[in-house]
Amino acid sequence: IGRRAGVSMGTIYSVFRSKEEVLQAALEARGAEILELVRRAVSRPGPAAVAFLDLVRDYVQYFSAHPHFLRMHLRLGAAWMHSPENGAGKRAAVWAEIQRSQAEVLARGIQEGSFVDADPLLLARLFSAVHQTLLANWVEQGMKLPAEQFVGEVERWVKRLLWREPV
């Protein structure tokens, strides 16, 4: 981190007391970026199904643009469908807002007849689990599949999971 930022370890530890604090700060910063991405995608006008597919695309593009963060986030071993561990504070609040936002667009899609009729929060959590699994598989395979092709793969799985009509 110090090398990439062009600062010494002493400078880093003058701001952060431990590696854990550095990790938490990185997770909070990236979480805020992801939250903004979610807010933009779910607030787009038009059908909820289109907004949700935009969100899928935005997620994949974000993680493909930040592969080191993706690997680090996956290596933490936490299930994305669950709130971050106790004491995560700001991260837990961001996670909850992301889940709520996903659930809101899913609820809209259920009303429009696009998505399966189920608890929107449950569907958001199922999406998070599938998304994390697909990203982990992509990373394990060396991210060889170009991001645009991977988006198509994720979209196919999301449609199998959430769409009312078979696709």
Side-chain angles (χ1 to χ4, degrees):
I1 292 173
R3 226 182 353 259
R4 289 191 83 178
V7 298
S8 71
M9 291 303 291
T11 301
I12 290 173
Y13 286 113
S14 70
V15 177
F16 302 101
R17 290 178 289 203
S18 66
K19 288 180 187 178
E20 181 62 28
E21 278 191 18
V22 173
L23 173 64
Q24 292 303 320
L27 290 170
E28 284 181 16
R30 294 293 189 203
E33 292 170 358
I34 292 168
L35 176 58
E36 187 54 38
L37 175 147
V38 171
R39 286 175 177 157
R40 279 194 313 267
V42 302
S43 66
R44 289 182 187 129
V50 172
F52 204 81
L53 287 177
D54 285 347
L55 177 59
V56 168
R57 244 178 259 102
D58 291 349
Y59 273 141
V60 172
Q61 289 170 350
Y62 181 86
F63 285 119
S64 68
H66 301 92
H68 300 298
F69 172 70
L70 173 59
R71 286 182 190 96
M72 179 190 72
H73 199 22
L74 290 169
R75 283 185 190 131
L76 290 174
W80 295 359
M81 61 175 274
H82 293 293
S83 176
E85 69 282 348
N86 292 335
K90 186 186 269 188
R91 281 185 41 234
V94 166
W95 173 88
E97 187 173 343
I98 289 170
Q99 290 275 300
R100 271 193 311 276
S101 296
Q102 291 172 348
E104 285 172 18
V105 75
L106 289 163
R108 212 172 76 221
I110 291 167
Q111 288 181 327
E112 293 169 3
S114 300
F115 300 136
V116 295
D117 190 8
D119 174 11
L121 186 55
L122 173 62
L123 293 178
R125 289 179 174 165
L126 287 170
F127 165 70
S128 294
V130 167
H131 187 232
Q132 181 182 17
T133 302
L134 292 170
L135 285 166
N137 189 58
W138 188 43
V139 167
E140 282 177 10
Q141 294 175 355
M143 298 173 79
K144 291 177 186 161
L145 190 64
E148 280 309 308
Q149 284 182 275
F150 182 61
V151 165
E153 185 178 323
V154 176
E155 286 177 351
R156 282 188 291 284
W157 280 104
V158 167
K159 287 177 179 179
R160 287 178 189 143
L161 174 69
L162 300 175
W163 263 239
R164 179 178 290 276
E165 298 298 318
V167 288

